Amino acid sequence: MATSADVNMLKEEPFTENFADLLTCTICLETFKQPKCLPCLHTFYETCISTYIVSTVKEVKPRGFKCPVCRRHVPIGDSAETPDKWARNLPGNHFVVSMIDWRAMNKAENLCNACSIESITQKAISWCTICEEAYCDACERHHKKYKMTRNHKIVLIKDIIEATSSLNICSFVACDEHPDKTIEIYCKDHSRPCCTVCATVHHRKCEYVVNIDKAVSGVKESTKAKELMKKLKETSKN
């Protein structure tokens, strides 16, 4: 669960330009879209890492590829799919997605994106995690009327900014395969977060499938998490 202290830190540091590199793909140098994470934790835009894999993997029966940054081997195993499909199955970096959403809301100064198209200045009250846009009350109602967007996850901006103790950052993250669903389940067998639909379809035979809240409990107090937070603060200071 994200606490007020965590969010205050995010508001003070990641939204600054010092953190722009963390939200930028090192291949195309653009802000992440569909960020995919490798086991070494290096993250890339899905299209970029897919192009890289196709251009570097030349074996007849490839078993993996090397990270473009650290050159660590990324095993694919016995996947029957061709290299051009590997990137699609890499886990998404949901933390990066959340940081990008928060930065976008901060830069937008909480103004309605739909109204701004018609040069109208209207204060936004909600945020669509699928469209990644802020809406005023009227535009939010219209957004919920259309068939294509009625099931999108809408959250109140004040809830994200205030970040009460009950705020779960995963509740704002959409499933890669089912954009209208949010992350609620974690499969320990595959080390992958997913929605309830994925859990039913792809992980029904897995032994260790738990609620996402249970999966993240105690993570912040772990030694690795504390070391990571220390490194992030040192990087920001530098």
Side-chain angles (χ1 to χ4, degrees):
M1 295 290 185
T3 63
S4 297
D6 296 327
V7 175
N8 286 336
M9 184 198 72
L10 285 173
K11 290 167 69 177
E12 291 172 2
E13 296 177 0
F15 290 149
T16 67
E17 292 306 315
N18 293 333
F19 271 75
D21 289 345
L22 296 179
L23 307 181
T24 302
C25 175
T26 55
I27 296 178
C28 67
L29 302 181
E30 297 289 341
T31 300
F32 284 119
K33 295 178 182 178
Q34 297 175 306
K36 293 293 185 176
C37 186
L38 304 186
C40 55
L41 300 184
H42 286 120
T43 303
F44 306 93
Y45 180 16
E46 181 179 330
T47 301
C48 292
I49 191 63
S50 179
T51 301
Y52 166 81
I53 293 172
V54 173
S55 63
T56 57
V57 175
K58 303 298 182 182
E59 296 87 347
V60 177
K61 294 182 178 180
R63 302 299 295 271
F65 62 96
K66 292 183 178 180
C67 170
V69 176
C70 66
R71 311 305 297 172
R72 177 178 174 180
H73 181 69
V74 180
I76 297 299
D78 299 324
S79 175
E81 293 187 333
T82 54
D84 60 307
K85 300 292 194 305
W86 289 356
R88 182 180 59 187
N89 296 323
L90 291 171
N93 192 324
H94 302 298
F95 180 68
V96 167
V97 172
S98 297
M99 289 180 68
I100 292 174
D101 284 351
W102 284 47
R103 188 179 71 168
M105 283 186 287
N106 184 69
K107 287 187 174 183
E109 299 179 345
N110 295 339
L111 298 180
C112 177
N113 294 116
C115 288
S116 64
I117 296 177
E118 299 180 352
S119 300
I120 299 175
T121 301
Q122 186 69 34
K123 183 178 180 180
I125 63 169
S126 60
W127 177 261
C128 176
T129 61
I130 308 301
C131 298
E132 297 185 349
E133 288 191 335
Y135 299 114
C136 63
D137 182 60
C139 289
E140 179 190 338
R141 291 199 301 270
H142 288 298
H143 193 72
K144 292 180 178 179
K145 289 180 180 180
Y146 299 111
K147 183 178 181 179
M148 293 291 293
T149 57
R150 67 178 56 156
N151 293 321
H152 284 191
K153 177 69 175 180
I154 302 289
V155 295
L156 295 177
I157 291 177
K158 68 179 184 67
D159 288 344
I160 300 177
I161 295 176
E162 291 173 0
T164 59
S165 59
S166 61
L167 179 62
N168 182 348
I169 199 168
C170 291
S171 65
F172 303 129
V173 180
C175 173
D176 290 336
E177 292 192 32
H178 306 94
D180 59 324
K181 302 291 184 180
T182 54
I183 297 298
E184 298 180 51
I185 306 296
Y186 185 79
C187 175
K188 292 185 178 181
D189 293 359
H190 294 92
S191 299
R192 177 169 296 186
C194 61
C195 68
T196 53
V197 176
C198 287
T200 303
V201 177
H202 303 302
H203 305 281
R204 64 182 184 278
K205 294 183 179 180
C206 297
E207 294 184 15
Y208 301 100
V209 178
V210 298
N211 182 280
I212 193 70
D213 293 334
K214 183 177 181 180
V216 302
S217 63
V219 170
K220 290 192 299 181
E221 289 73 28
S222 66
T223 302
K224 288 186 177 180
K226 291 179 179 179
E227 291 177 351
L228 177 59
M229 291 304 300
K230 182 179 179 181
K231 290 181 180 179
L232 285 173
K233 290 180 180 179
E234 291 176 350
T235 301
S236 177
K237 184 178 179 180
N238 292 334

